[in-house]
Amino acid sequence: MYVPANILSMITQTSTCRPKSIESIRALRAVAALLVTLFHLAMKMETTTIHSPVLRCFKSGFGGVDVFFIISGFIITHTNLTKINCPHLLPTYLKKRLGRIYAIYWPTVLLATLLLLWLSRLAPALQWLSFPVNPVGVLKAVVLLPTHESTLPVTWTLSYEIYFYVLFGLVIASRFLLIIPLFILGATLLTGLAECFGKTALFQFPFHDFFFSPFNLEFCLGIGVYFLTRRCTFKISRSVVAAAIGCFFLTGELIDPALIWQRILGFGIPGSVILAGLVSWEQSDRCRYPDWLLKLGDASYILYLIHVPIIMVLTQAMMRLSLSDYVVTANFILIGVLCWGSWQLHLRIEKPILAWISIRQFRPIGFRNRFTGISLMRIGKPQTAHKMVTR
């Protein structure tokens, strides 16, 4: 299928409406990470039969994952739009995106696994690991393959992030490859329609539910919000954003986290409205964010990774010490410490690692001045963003 050049020109042309900063993204990342953290704390308290009216308010916290997916669609488009159809930029793109995922994930999952293995030997009566450790399982967790199991339970979402990065990378390699993401989007919608009418999908294969997951639509919603805020001047009233927030929290009261299509409606669409509202307010200088929230947004990935095992260890340790009356209070204090610690780890470890990766000159096999596989298709030399706009 041929993708007309004028469509790519419309996609990549510049606009004065482009958001001048991404503070709204940083702040929303922080909120999403806190929502997920508090949700997992509430779930842990339920397993220990500790009931807290305060934690009951965060039953919708799992929607923070949906917000992360929307943010990913927005920010990847924001930072890489001009790279479309520039195959010589593909290695740099993959280095930055995959480095952002794996650089801090690998040492974190290693330390978490060692800690839980040690605790399993120290207190074998407690179930520290919920799955057997075997070479195949470890390899799947290291690479973040779909359906992997990890000592960091939240990493199932990273498989979707990598999937999205790869799909966007295809369009960077060549505009002709846009047909692949479009096919996946169409197949996802058709699968959803089939489910709505109680029909089975037209075809099934291993990882079908992953490749055609409704979560794909949330990345697309993020892309849509980006183009909306970039090309249009508009205002979203506070009442509309407040209604979207209300719908977001109401959804968590009504649905189960496994009902993905309902999540798209109850979290994805309201989350997109919230993001569009925040960005539009930022464009018109109608909002400011506290410095601590922006810093937490920068460190949100680390907080997202580490909070589950640490909450689990603290809770089970206090239960063994018969301190159940203080578990909730201790965990709230712990979350504050985790927020501060995540910022310190981001500042002292994650940022230096990412900076080192950024300056390293990686030369994957098959890449030179242009993407080898694409050059065999005779697409020719990649054009600059200026030529893409003016042709």
Side-chain angles (χ1 to χ4, degrees), residues 221-254:
L221 287 172
I223 295 173
V225 171
Y226 171 78
F227 283 115
L228 181 65
T229 57
R230 181 190 184 207
R231 298 177 61 86
C232 304
T233 300
F234 64 94
K235 293 181 180 180
I236 297 180
S237 67
R238 296 183 184 276
S239 59
V240 171
V241 173
I245 294 173
C247 178
F248 185 96
F249 281 94
L250 181 61
T251 297
E253 298 290 332
L254 299 177

Side-chain angles (χ1 to χ4, degrees), residues 337-378:
V337 173
L338 286 178
C339 291
W340 178 84
S342 297
W343 165 246
Q344 294 300 313
L345 290 173
H346 167 74
L347 196 64
R348 302 176 187 278
I349 297 178
E350 186 181 28
K351 283 187 68 175
I353 290 176
L354 294 178
W356 178 83
I357 292 175
S358 179
I359 63 175
R360 293 288 296 175
Q361 295 296 323
F362 295 102
R363 296 184 179 275
I365 297 174
F367 289 91
R368 288 297 182 265
N369 292 330
R370 67 173 89 172
F371 183 56
T372 304
I374 301 302
S375 66
L376 293 177
M377 296 171 60
R378 299 183 180 179

Side-chain angles (χ1 to χ4, degrees), residues 241-319:
V241 173
I245 294 173
C247 178
F248 185 96
F249 281 94
L250 181 61
T251 297
E253 298 290 332
L254 299 177
I255 71 168
D256 185 88
L259 301 175
I260 303 179
W261 281 103
Q262 286 85 337
R263 290 178 64 159
I264 305 304
L265 296 175
F267 291 137
I269 295 176
S272 300
V273 173
I274 294 168
L275 175 58
L278 293 178
V279 173
S280 69
W281 296 348
E282 184 177 348
Q283 286 179 277
S284 57
D285 295 320
R286 294 169 58 195
C287 65
R288 291 289 185 272
Y289 302 100
D291 186 60
W292 67 267
L293 189 65
L294 298 178
K295 288 181 177 180
L296 181 58
D298 295 337
S300 58
Y301 180 45
I302 295 179
L303 175 62
Y304 184 72
L305 285 178
I306 68 176
H307 71 271
V308 171
I310 295 179
I311 288 174
M312 180 181 69
V313 169
L314 175 65
T315 299
Q316 294 192 181
M318 294 190 70
M319 295 298 291

Side-chain angles (χ1 to χ4, degrees), residues 42 65 76 93 132 162-163 177 202 221 247 277 281 294 320 330 339 359 376:
V65 168
I76 292 300
Y93 163 80
I162 293 171
Y163 180 42
L177 297 179
L202 296 177
L221 287 172
C247 178
W281 296 348
L294 298 178
R320 281 183 64 87
C339 291
I359 63 175
L376 293 177

Side-chain angles (χ1 to χ4, degrees), residues 43-317:
M43 294 301 99
K44 184 61 181 176
M45 293 302 101
E46 284 191 8
T47 62
T48 56
T49 66
I50 296 176
H51 302 285
S52 170
V54 177
L55 289 175
R56 182 67 178 77
C57 299
F58 299 102
K59 188 178 179 181
S60 300
F62 64 93
V65 168
D66 302 79
V67 174
F68 275 127
F69 288 156
I70 297 168
I71 289 174
S72 292
F74 183 101
I75 201 65
I76 292 300
T77 311
H78 177 79
T79 56
N80 297 283
L81 185 65
T82 57
K83 295 183 177 70
I84 289 178
N85 204 42
C86 296
H88 65 293
L89 298 177
L90 182 60
T92 301
Y93 163 80
L94 292 175
K95 178 184 71 172
K96 288 183 177 180
R97 299 322 310 170
L98 297 182
R100 179 77 173 88
I101 293 287
Y102 289 113
I104 201 67
Y105 166 70
W106 282 334
T108 303
V109 74
L110 175 62
L111 291 175
T113 302
L114 292 176
L115 171 64
L116 296 182
L117 286 174
W118 175 73
L119 289 172
S120 296
R121 294 177 61 88
L122 184 66
L126 297 177
Q127 188 179 20
W128 299 100
L129 293 172
S130 59
F131 56 90
V133 178
N134 57 74
V136 175
V138 169
L139 180 61
K140 290 174 65 176
V142 168
V143 184
L144 292 172
L145 292 178
T147 70
H148 71 274
E149 294 181 291
S150 172
T151 49
L152 305 176
V154 298
T155 57
W156 65 269
T157 63
L158 301 184
S159 299
Y160 286 99
E161 293 280 355
I162 293 171
Y163 180 42
F164 175 68
Y165 294 163
V166 171
L167 291 179
F168 199 97
L170 293 177
V171 187
I172 293 177
S174 168
R175 68 173 185 266
F176 293 93
L177 297 179
L178 180 60
I179 182 59
I180 297 177
L182 290 178
F183 168 78
I184 291 172
L185 177 60
T188 300
L189 293 172
L190 288 175
T191 300
L193 287 174
E195 290 182 8
C196 288
F197 291 99
K199 306 293 184 181
T200 58
L202 296 177
F203 53 91
Q204 292 282 344
F205 59 92
F207 303 115
H208 175 277
D209 292 339
F210 175 84
F211 288 114
F212 299 144
S213 169
F215 287 129
N216 297 333
L217 302 180
E218 294 186 323
F219 291 107
C220 295
L221 287 172
I223 295 173
V225 171
Y226 171 78
F227 283 115
L228 181 65
T229 57
R230 181 190 184 207
R231 298 177 61 86
C232 304
T233 300
F234 64 94
K235 293 181 180 180
I236 297 180
S237 67
R238 296 183 184 276
S239 59
V240 171
V241 173
I245 294 173
C247 178
F248 185 96
F249 281 94
L250 181 61
T251 297
E253 298 290 332
L254 299 177
I255 71 168
D256 185 88
L259 301 175
I260 303 179
W261 281 103
Q262 286 85 337
R263 290 178 64 159
I264 305 304
L265 296 175
F267 291 137
I269 295 176
S272 300
V273 173
I274 294 168
L275 175 58
L278 293 178
V279 173
S280 69
W281 296 348
E282 184 177 348
Q283 286 179 277
S284 57
D285 295 320
R286 294 169 58 195
C287 65
R288 291 289 185 272
Y289 302 100
D291 186 60
W292 67 267
L293 189 65
L294 298 178
K295 288 181 177 180
L296 181 58
D298 295 337
S300 58
Y301 180 45
I302 295 179
L303 175 62
Y304 184 72
L305 285 178
I306 68 176
H307 71 271
V308 171
I310 295 179
I311 288 174
M312 180 181 69
V313 169
L314 175 65
T315 299
Q316 294 192 181

